[in-house]
């Protein structure tokens, strides 16, 4: 059965931590492709910056265009309002019912899952592939994965990927402070941020 990765995020902006995670999981899990799905504005995240969904989408597109296994998807942003992962997964399953879907994420996500819409059903529809993330407690991740497996029969796999101590928040802060973000984002994304003067205020 073909395996497809779903990688959702605000990607504000997409950075090398995202790309390395996706590449490592795609390769280790033998995924046919990874769908990068930029989200509309997320009710679980406070929005304090003014760049648009279209700009986040474009940066994501630019960052992955040279990788034949990475595909951009506008599934969530082409409709107004925030899309819940359960609804996105159901749509993908209706498009390609035979595919085996994995949901890629960093370890911070694991601790939020019980707040997601219909998370118990989601656990039955996808395998979560989680990678460690600097600044988080690795032991706590393992304990949480065991708890979710026991309680909900969740399918959770923990993968090792190179630890990249960067976040979109840190990138935005660096821009505000006039620090360089070169090599923390791809060169095309770096140029795009400069041209559009993103994150300056
Ligand atoms: P922000 O700082 O704005 O909260 P972020 O850097 O966490 O953003 P998101 O777009 O919210 O980026 O994340 C999308 C996914 O990528 C999440 O599953 C998150 O855990 C994961 N991720 C982001 N950065 C890293 C990183 N450096 N290492 C591992 N996973 C990461």
């Amino acid at each position: 059965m073909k395996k497809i990765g779903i990688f959702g995020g605000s990607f504000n902006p997409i950075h090398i931590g995202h790309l390395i995670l996706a590449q490592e999981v795609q390769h280790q899990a033998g995924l046919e492709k990874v769908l990068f799905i930029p989200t509309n504005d997320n009710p679980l995240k406070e929005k304090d910056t003014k760049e648009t969904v279209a700009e986040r989408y474009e940066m994501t597109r630019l960052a992955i265009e040279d990788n034949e296994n990475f595909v951009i998807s506008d599934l969530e942003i082409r409709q107004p309002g925030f899309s819940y992962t359960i609804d996105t997964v159901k749509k993908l399953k209706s498009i390609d019912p035979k595919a085996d879907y994995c949901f890629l994420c960093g370890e911070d996500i694991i601790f939020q899952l019980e707040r997601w819409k219909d998370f118990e059903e989601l656990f039955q529809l996808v395998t979560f592939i989680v990678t460690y993330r600097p600044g988080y407690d690795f032991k706590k991740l393992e304990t949480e994965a065991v708890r979710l497996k026991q309680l909900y029969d969740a399918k959770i796999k923990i993968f090792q990927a190179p630890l990249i101590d960067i976040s979109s928040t840190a990138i935005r802060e660096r821009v505000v402070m006039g620090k360089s973000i070169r090599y923390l984002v791809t060169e095309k994304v770096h140029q795009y941020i400069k041209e559009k003067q993103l994150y300056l205020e």
Side-chain angles (χ1 to χ4, degrees):
M1 199 193 286
K2 76 174 162 192
K3 289 171 138 188
I4 296 178
I6 301 170
F7 192 28
S10 41
F11 301 131
N12 188 23
I14 188 164
H15 53 70
I16 58 163
H18 297 126
L19 296 168
I20 289 169
L21 179 160
Q23 173 59 26
E24 194 64 28
V25 174
Q26 184 274 324
H27 192 250
Q28 280 189 44
L31 304 180
E32 187 181 291
K33 57 184 171 182
V34 176
L35 296 175
F36 283 69
I37 311 184
T39 55
N40 266 330
D41 294 331
N42 183 341
L44 295 179
K45 271 192 179 186
E46 272 179 43
K47 176 144 169 86
D48 53 4
T49 51
K50 62 171 176 51
E51 56 311 305
T52 63
V53 171
E55 286 166 337
R56 292 193 282 109
Y57 178 90
E58 180 59 8
M59 287 189 280
T60 308
R61 191 191 69 75
L62 288 170
I64 66 173
E65 67 180 353
D66 61 352
N67 187 320
E68 65 284 4
N69 300 118
F70 290 175
V71 179
I72 182 104
S73 166
D74 65 356
L75 194 66
E76 294 200 358
I77 63 162
R78 68 176 174 232
Q79 62 193 35
F82 183 74
S83 303
Y84 293 94
T85 300
I86 184 73
D87 300 324
T88 302
V89 167
K90 283 182 177 170
K91 270 186 210 146
L92 289 170
K93 285 226 167 216
S94 70
I95 297 166
D96 197 348
K98 290 209 185 99
D100 183 6
Y101 287 98
C102 305
F103 189 90
L104 281 49
C105 59
E107 67 178 295
D108 48 311
I109 298 296
I110 280 290
F111 299 98
Q112 308 173 4
L113 289 179
E114 284 166 304
R115 288 156 61 201
W116 287 18
K117 184 185 162 204
D118 298 339
F119 66 92
E120 293 187 60
E121 189 182 1
L122 186 62
F123 283 144
Q124 302 316 310
L125 296 180
V126 294
T127 301
F128 280 83
I129 301 186
V130 192
T131 64
Y132 298 113
R133 195 170 171 179
Y136 291 83
D137 183 335
F138 300 170
K139 266 256 118 7
K140 257 173 126 181
L141 169 62
E142 282 152 23
T143 309
E144 183 65 356
V146 170
R147 190 181 73 82
L148 295 172
K149 280 181 198 173
Q150 285 172 347
L151 258 181
Y152 306 112
D153 196 26
K155 297 181 287 293
I156 299 175
K157 292 182 179 162
I158 300 174
F159 278 27
Q160 301 272 1
L163 290 175
I164 308 295
D165 191 6
I166 195 73
S167 66
S168 299
T169 305
I171 304 257
R172 296 194 299 272
E173 286 171 358
R174 289 182 71 89
V175 174
V176 170
M177 289 187 289
K179 290 186 175 173
S180 173
I181 58 166
R182 195 169 183 193
Y183 305 123
L184 297 176
V185 295
T186 69
E187 188 51 26
K188 283 181 194 162
V189 172
H190 182 216
Q191 291 307 328
Y192 187 90
I193 290 171
K194 278 211 289 199
E195 273 160 31
K196 298 271 178 178
Q197 302 193 321
L198 299 182
Y199 310 124
L200 282 174
E201 56 194 51

